[in-house]
Amino acid sequence: MSAHGRSSRYGRYTGGPDPLAPPVDLSEALDAIGQDVMAGYSPERAMQEFLRRGGQQQRGLDDLAAQVAQRRRELLQQHDLDGTLRQVKELLDKAVLAERGQLARDVTMDDGDRALREMQLDNLPPSPAAAVNELSSYDWQSSDAREAFEQIKDLLGREVLDQRFQGMKQALEGATDEDRQRVDEMLSDLNDLLEAHARGEDTDEQFQQFMREHGDFFPDEPQNVEELIDSLAERAAAGQRLLNSMSPEQRQELMELSQQAFGSPALSQALDRLDANLRGLRPGADWSGSERFQGDEGVGLGDGTGVIQDIAELDALSEQLQQMYAGARLDDVDLDALARQLGDEAAVDARTLTELERALRESGYLRRTSEGDLRLSPRAMRQLGKALLRDVAQQLSGRQGQRDLRQAGAAGELTGSSREWAFGDTEPWDVTRTIGNAVLRTVGDGGDPSTGVRLDIRDVEVAETEARTQAAVALCVDTSFSMAMDGRWVPMKRTALALHTLISTRFRGDDLQLISFGRAARQMEIEQLTALEPWHDKGTNLHHALLLANRHFRKHPSAQPVLLVVTDGEPTSHLEPDGEVFFSYPPHPLTIAHAVRELDASRWLGAQTTFFRLGDDPGLARFVQSMAARVDGRVVAPELDDLGAAVLGSYLGSRDPGDPMSYDAFFGGRGFWVG
């Protein structure tokens, strides 16, 4: 209770996005998108796939679409379309039974007249429509029978109107002659308005006048004639699809019965005129579709038309949720319709997915190229790389000699000395000497350090460290089709991204060159490699990859060369002197010779070499073993899950053999050594 004695009520926020709602969590989505991108999906498709699958705590589009499909099946399996015919038959039987009773009780009636009436009742046709038509001029002796028969006409009138104007069946229950006259006037004015609009002769004043006189028939309050036509045509088309869904016998019965609506053929004529006008104004509406109802719950013309509209709305939702059309966005999903059909929880799920899609597009993690393609941004690549680096750290954490990767980028061991900070220094500050410098400067300037000191850039001193060797790293990854076929494509990309992240964040002085080699080799940026789609590249050109690696080493003559080669096959192609690619399987001796020559060049440049052999091919094992032995290199045969840890551990050991995070410390005794 408030201070003024009035209770407060709190409901769902309806003024747009809830300002108190927690922001959507992008981490799970970005991780899933990154994995799919490395598997060969485009970022756009990867994002759509995540939205379709959903997350651990979030239903996706596929779940919502399945629920929509289930709801559609339930409607078809629940209902039968002979509800109006059943009601007419029940009222007809009631009228005939009451009339027979009255004829039997009326002792004043002439026997001949009674016999004639009984004969007429006995010989009524089995068709309800024909029976109602035959009894339309019958002089009922029973007031109950007359009332039941009038109810048939009233029911038919309300049903055919409800088929075109939702809610009419209930609104006109117990209608008077004056009410029916108003309906006749509304239909006449409506048809005049639609026909004038078709000729281009209608005016805003004519529409406003129509709504002033008949607006209570249109609770959705259309704002102009186009909105009025849209609403009417949608309902009328659904009513026609309802008729199309009936058997020919049912349809014929109802067509004939509609002539008896309110006992006035004029109503049927006005509605036929309305249908014709709406078909002409909205020819693109679905006037010819049909559905197959299989239930036993009868629905009348009005309710059945509503069911057909529900099915149409579910079909539209299904298309929106499938997102298969050009330019599809989750903003297209009609949340109000989803709430009507599946409940508020489904609408909340869809809204969350919409916000997630919007956040992904606006967060800076995805960006458009000049060609219009969606790509992972450098920010997204950094976040994904950090996640992969954490995974590698967890793999390494249980191994002997492990060290926290967050400390791996230190510039070397501290010497105990310090020096004045200079631009570009990344060493840690010597806090004690820095503050001491600030105090001395304050005193020298005539200040009182007891009242506080302000640091100046001139005060800063950094801790000196031992110099560490700069490395020039070449990671050569096999991108032949066998890598994709045997499930090695994604681990290869994950390894490259983890190494790239480690070097770019912890060892900024090192220079990494990524080289892919299939039929030919090429230098690649990390964004290119992670987005590379697998394709049938026939050939493994190790010669070309080593040639590019040696070119990278020569560009950094003062750095320690580190050569890392990930492959699952023997070399089957090489570059000819004219630049053409030579391919041969089984491997040609000349191809092997070219690869050996470039590997020897790597050794002359001082490269520390590690081969990472994927797979159990004996020929590959012999080849890699002989190549590594030739240059005093290492061979590692890791499981795919350990590939990233193997490559990063080898890099760390190769760039600084005295580092406690060396290769031997991480992999000794693990069974990875092959030779």
Side-chain angles (χ1 to χ4, degrees):
M1 187 73 68
S2 68
H4 299 287
R6 291 178 297 180
S7 62
S8 299
R9 297 182 64 190
Y10 298 90
R12 186 171 54 186
Y13 184 79
T14 58
D18 186 349
L20 300 180
V24 293
D25 182 8
L26 296 181
S27 57
E28 182 184 14
L30 287 171
D31 183 62
I33 290 171
Q35 301 302 322
D36 284 347
V37 167
M38 287 192 289
Y41 288 8
S42 69
E44 181 78 39
R45 182 183 172 191
M47 180 176 66
Q48 294 301 328
E49 286 298 316
F50 177 78
L51 294 173
R52 295 180 71 86
R53 295 191 304 264
Q56 293 182 351
Q57 304 297 327
Q58 170 67 48
R59 285 196 297 174
L61 294 175
D62 284 347
D63 292 328
L64 293 174
Q67 196 173 350
V68 165
Q70 177 62 27
R71 173 62 178 156
R72 192 185 196 280
R73 286 193 297 270
E74 289 174 354
L75 288 176
L76 292 175
Q77 293 170 359
Q78 176 183 357
H79 296 297
D80 187 353
L81 301 183
D82 63 353
T84 298
L85 290 175
R86 289 184 191 178
Q87 288 184 276
V88 169
K89 187 70 167 61
E90 289 171 1
L91 289 171
L92 183 61
D93 290 343
K94 179 180 178 181
V96 170
L97 182 61
E99 181 69 5
R100 289 183 185 278
Q102 179 63 32
L103 293 177
R105 290 191 301 270
D106 191 351
V107 297
T108 64
M109 180 176 292
D110 179 76
D111 289 342
D113 187 22
R114 178 186 293 107
L116 185 62
R117 290 175 180 276
E118 289 178 344
M119 183 183 300
Q120 185 175 0
L121 296 177
D122 289 340
N123 293 317
L124 287 174
S127 163
V132 169
N133 184 58
E134 185 170 321
L135 292 173
S136 60
S137 58
Y138 180 82
D139 181 17
W140 298 94
Q141 301 300 299
S142 166
S143 59
D144 290 342
R146 183 180 300 106
E147 181 181 356
F149 192 76
E150 289 301 320
Q151 287 178 5
I152 292 176
K153 297 179 180 180
D154 179 73
L155 170 67
L156 292 170
R158 290 186 293 123
E159 286 281 17
V160 295
L161 285 171
D162 202 40
Q163 188 180 5
R164 277 82 170 183
F165 307 91
Q166 186 175 6
M168 279 287 202
K169 183 178 181 180
Q170 292 76 23
L172 291 178
E173 189 170 6
T176 63
D177 290 341
E178 183 179 351
D179 294 330
R180 293 166 185 158
Q181 178 63 32
R182 285 197 64 230
V183 171
D184 291 340
E185 292 173 357
M186 182 273 292
L187 287 173
S188 177
D189 292 346
L190 176 59
N191 279 313
D192 290 343
L193 174 63
L194 298 183
E195 288 163 1
H197 183 73
R199 297 191 301 270
E201 299 174 359
D202 63 313
T203 63
D204 289 340
E205 175 56 33
Q206 184 180 3
F207 171 75
Q208 297 299 334
Q209 177 65 28
F210 174 82
M211 292 302 296
R212 283 194 293 270
E213 295 181 5
H214 308 295
D216 55 322
F217 288 101
F218 305 94
D220 52 344
E221 300 180 355
Q223 299 302 302
N224 52 56
V225 69
E226 292 292 344
E227 289 186 10
L228 175 65
I229 294 171
D230 286 340
S231 177
L232 290 172
E234 179 185 337
R235 182 79 177 178
Q240 182 59 54
R241 294 197 300 277
L242 175 73
L243 294 175
N244 298 343
S245 303
M246 296 178 179
S247 67
E249 294 77 17
Q250 288 176 319
R251 188 163 53 249
Q252 182 63 32
E253 287 284 318
L254 287 171
M255 295 294 289
E256 294 178 6
L257 282 170
S258 65
Q259 302 298 320
Q260 301 295 327
F262 290 147
S264 169
L267 175 62
S268 179
Q269 295 170 4
L271 292 175
D272 289 343
R273 179 184 170 197
L274 174 62
D275 288 345
N277 285 328
L278 292 173
R279 281 176 178 267
L281 290 166
R282 293 293 185 269
D286 184 5
W287 299 91
S288 59
S290 64
E291 300 293 342
R292 184 180 179 185
F293 288 84
Q294 301 170 318
D296 53 12
E297 181 180 316
V299 290
L301 287 175
D303 291 340
T305 299
V307 172
I308 292 289
Q309 282 189 293
D310 283 341
I311 290 175
E313 191 167 68
L314 289 167
D315 288 342
L317 284 171
S318 179
E319 183 177 5
Q320 294 161 15
L321 292 170
Q322 288 176 11
Q323 297 277 289
M324 298 299 290
Y325 50 91
R329 297 286 292 269
L330 282 183
D331 287 330
D332 301 340
V333 178
D334 188 336
L335 298 180
D336 291 334
L338 197 61
R340 279 194 301 271
Q341 298 297 336
L342 302 184
D344 290 339
E345 185 177 347
V348 169
D349 286 332
R351 183 181 293 109
T352 302
L353 290 172
T354 302
E355 293 169 356
L356 182 59
E357 181 192 43
R358 186 181 299 113
L360 284 169
R361 293 183 184 276
E362 296 176 357
S363 64
Y365 289 111
L366 302 174
R367 61 182 176 86
R368 292 281 178 188
T369 65
S370 57
E371 293 79 17
D373 298 328
L374 203 62
R375 290 284 183 265
L376 291 179
S377 68
R379 180 183 177 188
M381 296 295 296
R382 287 194 298 271
Q383 179 155 328
L384 182 58
K386 290 176 181 177
L388 295 175
L389 207 51
R390 285 194 298 270
D391 291 343
V392 172
Q394 290 175 359
Q395 287 179 280
L396 296 176
S397 62
R399 296 178 179 172
Q400 178 185 2
Q402 74 86 23
R403 187 178 66 176
D404 191 340
L405 278 177
R406 289 174 296 178
Q407 305 300 322
E413 298 297 326
L414 297 174
T415 64
S417 301
S418 65
R419 57 178 171 78
E420 183 179 350
W421 176 87
F423 180 78
D425 283 340
T426 60
E427 290 81 4
W429 286 13
D430 187 319
V431 177
T432 301
R433 293 183 182 180
T434 297
I435 295 177
N437 290 340
V439 171
L440 292 174
R441 182 179 50 77
T442 300
V443 172
D445 292 342
D448 182 2
S450 65
T451 62
V453 296
R454 295 177 63 86
L455 289 179
D456 187 275
I457 192 64
R458 295 168 296 172
D459 303 327
V460 178
E461 291 196 26
V462 295
E464 285 191 334
T465 59
E466 296 176 353
R468 297 189 68 169
T469 305
Q470 183 186 18
V473 185
L475 175 61
C476 303
V477 291
D478 189 341
T479 55
S480 60
F481 193 63
S482 61
M483 290 283 288
M485 274 198 316
D486 295 331
R488 297 160 185 154
W489 197 257
V490 173
M492 173 270 291
K493 290 185 177 184
R494 289 170 61 89
T495 298
L497 182 53
L499 180 61
H500 178 272
T501 303
L502 176 62
I503 292 176
S504 62
T505 59
R506 307 301 185 200
F507 296 96
R508 294 185 178 91
D510 290 357
D511 198 297
L512 171 65
Q513 180 66 69
L514 298 174
I515 300 170
S516 68
F517 62 99
R519 187 177 185 86
R522 57 173 171 157
Q523 299 173 351
M524 304 190 80
E525 298 298 325
I526 187 61
E527 294 83 3
Q528 292 176 289
L529 182 59
T530 53
L532 186 65
E533 297 184 14
W535 63 294
H536 198 279
D537 201 10
K538 191 176 182 181
T540 304
N541 199 331
L542 180 60
H543 164 238
H544 194 185
L546 294 174
L547 189 151
L548 295 178
N550 290 335
R551 184 181 300 169
H552 174 61
F553 297 150
R554 292 187 182 100
K555 288 180 180 178
H556 303 83
S558 61
Q560 168 62 55
V562 177
L563 175 62
L564 308 171
V565 180
V566 179
T567 185
D568 72 344
E570 298 177 75
T572 55
S573 61
H574 66 266
L575 282 185
E576 296 280 21
D578 60 0
E580 293 296 318
V581 174
F582 173 88
F583 170 80
S584 172
Y585 183 83
H588 194 280
L590 190 59
T591 299
I592 302 297
H594 277 76
V596 168
R597 185 183 66 193
E598 285 303 321
L599 185 65
D600 287 344
S602 299
R603 183 181 185 182
W604 295 332
L605 291 170
Q608 298 185 28
T609 302
T610 306
F611 285 89
F612 300 89
R613 193 198 79 203
L614 303 180
D616 299 322
D617 179 64
L620 173 64
R622 289 191 297 270
F623 170 77
V624 169
Q625 178 62 45
S626 62
M627 292 285 277
R630 185 180 184 90
V631 293
D632 294 328
R634 298 185 177 101
V635 177
V636 184
E639 297 294 332
L640 285 179
D641 291 342
D642 273 320
L643 178 61
V647 171
L648 267 65
S650 181
Y651 156 71
L652 290 165
S654 297
R655 72 176 311 284
D656 188 353
D659 193 303
M661 198 175 184
S662 67
Y663 178 87
D664 293 334
F666 279 112
F667 295 96
R670 296 278 300 178
F672 290 106
W673 282 97
V674 181

